[in-house]
Amino acid sequence: ETGVTQTPRHLVMGMTNKKSLKCEQHLGHNAMYWYKQSAKKPLELMFVYNFKEQTENNSVPSRFSPECPNSSHLFLHLHTLQPEDSALYLCASGSSGRVNTQYFGPGTRLTVL
Amino acid sequence: DAKTTQPNSMESNEEEPVHLPCNHSTISGTDYIHWYRQLPSQGPEYVIHGLTSNVNNRMASLAIAEDRKSSTLILHRATLRDAAVYYCILRDYGYGQNFVFGPGTRLSVLP
């Protein structure tokens, strides 16, 4: 068990829809992350939050909008996505320490039609 | 970022030891070596990490070369559940860098 939960586990949406992915961590960590894993490609870091503040945005298109209301919750708001955005979206949490071991959720499998 | 090189895939027989290599010839003195694995249909999970000395935990052992330019993850007795993609990642703790995942090594375990 990872202590990081993600909902929904699967999502199918049209290009004109608006949806949100939710991540919750119960590990007391102060850093949270969104990663994208496309088929046949390595994980790509999208966003980093430390103590609820966004500290990194890896040139992610504005159709992806993160939100971190508190240290335990992280959202990824999606709107007007493209079919190439279909991927596994993974949330992780970690402590902002020297080692920064990260704990991942199971991911949301997103399909954009 | 320092880079790592791993074989694309490896095979092992069940109940035999597995040695997963990782080359990191440009490692810096403040780079930790991290190993994660990703089981099918799951997010990555932490396996082990080290800096200079060999490390053991309940999941695996990490053997680090004396010059730190390579390391080996050792699974002492592979089980079918160990079939996964294994990622070797360097992270510079001095700069608080983020993890950069490569393609990893896909380990198949044969019964």
Side-chain angles (χ1 to χ4, degrees), chain A:
Chain A
E1 67 279 39
T2 65
V4 180
T5 58
Q6 290 187 245
T7 54
R9 294 293 308 277
H10 300 271
L11 178 61
V12 179
M13 60 187 289
M15 290 190 285
T16 58
N17 291 158
K18 288 185 180 181
K19 296 287 184 183
S20 295
L21 310 184
K22 179 182 176 182
C23 175
E24 187 171 356
Q25 59 102 355
H26 311 278
L27 301 168
H29 293 151
N30 47 39
M32 296 188 77
Y33 309 81
W34 279 117
Y35 289 84
K36 175 184 178 183
Q37 188 172 35
S38 304
K40 312 289 187 188
K41 290 177 71 174
L43 276 80
E44 303 169 62
L45 180 65
M46 300 175 73
F47 300 104
V48 180
Y49 277 82
N50 279 287
F51 296 98
K52 303 186 298 178
E53 299 297 318
Q54 188 180 127
T55 55
E56 189 145 347
N57 174 340
N58 268 354
S59 304
V60 180
S62 59
R63 58 185 183 269
F64 295 90
S65 175
E67 179 190 1
C68 188
N70 55 60
S71 294
S72 299
H73 294 86
L74 185 65
F75 295 89
L76 188 62
H77 304 300
L78 316 171
H79 63 98
T80 59
L81 294 192
Q82 305 297 311
E84 59 264 30
D85 296 322
S86 299
L88 181 68
Y89 288 85
L90 290 155
C91 173
S93 72
S95 56
S96 300
R98 190 160 148 155
V99 176
N100 185 228
T101 298
Q102 292 187 14
Y103 296 85
F104 286 80
T108 294
R109 174 72 60 189
L110 174 67
T111 302
V112 182
L113 301 177

Side-chain angles (χ1 to χ4, degrees), chain B residues 25-41:
Chain B
S25 57
T26 59
I27 191 170
S28 76
T30 49
D31 278 324
Y32 269 100
I33 302 162
H34 300 258
W35 283 83
Y36 283 73
R37 72 179 184 181
Q38 188 171 16
L39 303 172
S41 302

Side-chain angles (χ1 to χ4, degrees), chain B residues 45 88 102:
Chain B
E45 64 175 345
C88 170

